[in-house]
Amino acid sequence: EPEVTQTPSHQVTQMGQEVILRCVPISNHLYFYWYRQILGQKVEFLVSFYNNEISEKSEIFDDQFSVERPDGSNFTLKIRSTKLEDSAMYFCASTLNRDSYGYTFGSGTRLTVV
Amino acid sequence: GQQLNQSPQSMFIQEGEDVSMNCTSSSIFNTWLWYKQDPGEGPVLLIALYKAGELTSNGRLTAQFGITRKDSFLNISASIPSDVGIYFCAGHSLLTQGGSEKLVFGKGTKLTVNP
């Protein structure tokens, strides 16, 4: 069964450093998403991306965050200057169309900011 | 903002027992979804509900979308050890005029099944 692949599975970074989280969505999917989950909390929407641009973002997704689809297969989330409160699981998801039934999540990247 | 209230927060049951959990919202959602999350993994879709009042089954799982589109329940019958995990409800209001394509998640129900 097709999968959404995320790398790395765990990243530890110093506060203030830039991190890039990588995702390979399912190959024929067109809509891409990032969500995060702070330990023990609910999953929260960050951003949606379609046709090489952001289609929607949450208030969490401030100027420190950016997304990119650099080469037609990868979908990245960059945090420019990490803060302690950015520590969380970050999930990438993709779907063929905007119908939520086809929403597939990756296994996540655990980001720890120290 | 939109919020989903999910209960209970946690459940401890014996293998073979039935389980029920539910979600309520002050907002209307067009689609209601139930996900399961295993430790260290991403959410996996269990059931999607599209019509008010809809009752849908997937094996031992049964979920219903409330008539008002503001609530849903998930039942698991004859629980087994591999049912352990965190169950999330999520709402989607894409089809609403001006609706958002994001999923809004509940806080989850942590299920423990004792063999």
Side-chain angles (χ1 to χ4, degrees):
Chain A
E1 189 168 330
E3 291 184 338
V4 174
T5 305
Q6 290 187 243
T7 55
S9 57
H10 190 187
Q11 172 124 23
V12 181
T13 188
Q14 296 239 325
M15 191 168 56
Q17 294 295 304
E18 174 183 288
V19 293
I20 297 176
L21 310 182
R22 302 181 191 281
C23 169
V24 179
I26 293 173
S27 60
N28 64 336
H29 282 189
L30 301 175
Y31 295 82
F32 313 110
Y33 308 87
W34 284 100
Y35 285 75
R36 81 169 186 192
Q37 184 181 32
I38 294 171
L39 187 64
Q41 308 268 328
K42 65 182 178 181
V43 179
E44 299 175 292
F45 170 78
L46 291 179
V47 65
S48 58
F49 190 87
Y50 170 71
N51 200 25
N52 280 321
E53 61 183 25
I54 291 173
S55 48
E56 186 174 353
K57 61 183 180 180
S58 72
E59 57 199 24
I60 302 169
F61 194 89
D62 61 22
D63 292 344
Q64 293 298 312
F65 291 88
S66 62
V67 289
E68 195 177 29
R69 188 156 162 79
D71 56 14
S73 63
N74 291 284
F75 179 50
T76 61
L77 174 69
K78 181 192 292 185
I79 309 175
R80 284 191 191 82
S81 177
T82 49
K83 304 187 282 287
L84 295 176
E85 54 264 38
D86 292 328
S87 295
M89 281 288 284
Y90 287 81
F91 293 107
C92 174
S94 70
T95 184
L96 177 60
N97 51 45
R98 295 170 84 193
D99 179 347
S100 58
Y101 188 82
Y103 232 93
T104 303
F105 283 87
S107 296
T109 293
R110 177 169 296 285
L111 176 66
T112 304
V113 182
V114 296
Chain B
Q2 294 172 312
Q3 288 197 21
L4 296 183
N5 300 308
Q6 188 170 349
S7 63
Q9 276 189 316
S10 60
M11 302 183 75
F12 297 84
I13 63 169
Q14 292 296 122
E15 183 177 358
E17 288 183 357
D18 297 344
V19 172
S20 185
M21 59 193 78
N22 67 80
C23 270
T24 60
S25 170
S26 56
S27 306
I28 290 174
F29 288 102
N30 289 105
T31 304
W32 208 293
L33 306 151
W34 284 94
Y35 285 87
K36 183 189 178 202
Q37 185 180 28
D38 291 325
E41 298 291 326
V44 175
L45 181 66
L46 298 174
I47 290 182
L49 301 160
Y50 296 99
K51 298 178 184 175
E54 179 181 359
L55 182 72
T56 297
S57 293
N58 179 8
R60 293 180 295 106
L61 307 177
T62 303
Q64 184 157 29
F65 197 172
I67 289 289
T68 63
R69 292 184 173 272
K70 291 184 177 181
D71 62 292
S72 176
F73 70 75
L74 174 70
N75 288 341
I76 305 172
S77 62
S79 57
I80 59 178
S82 61
D83 290 334
V84 164
I86 301 178
Y87 292 79
F88 289 98
C89 60
H92 201 216
S93 57
L94 178 62
L95 299 179
T96 304
Q97 186 176 8
S100 164
E101 60 184 289
K102 70 183 180 186
L103 292 181
V104 178
F105 281 83
K107 291 189 177 180
T109 295
K110 185 175 181 180
L111 179 64
T112 303
V113 180
N114 295 316

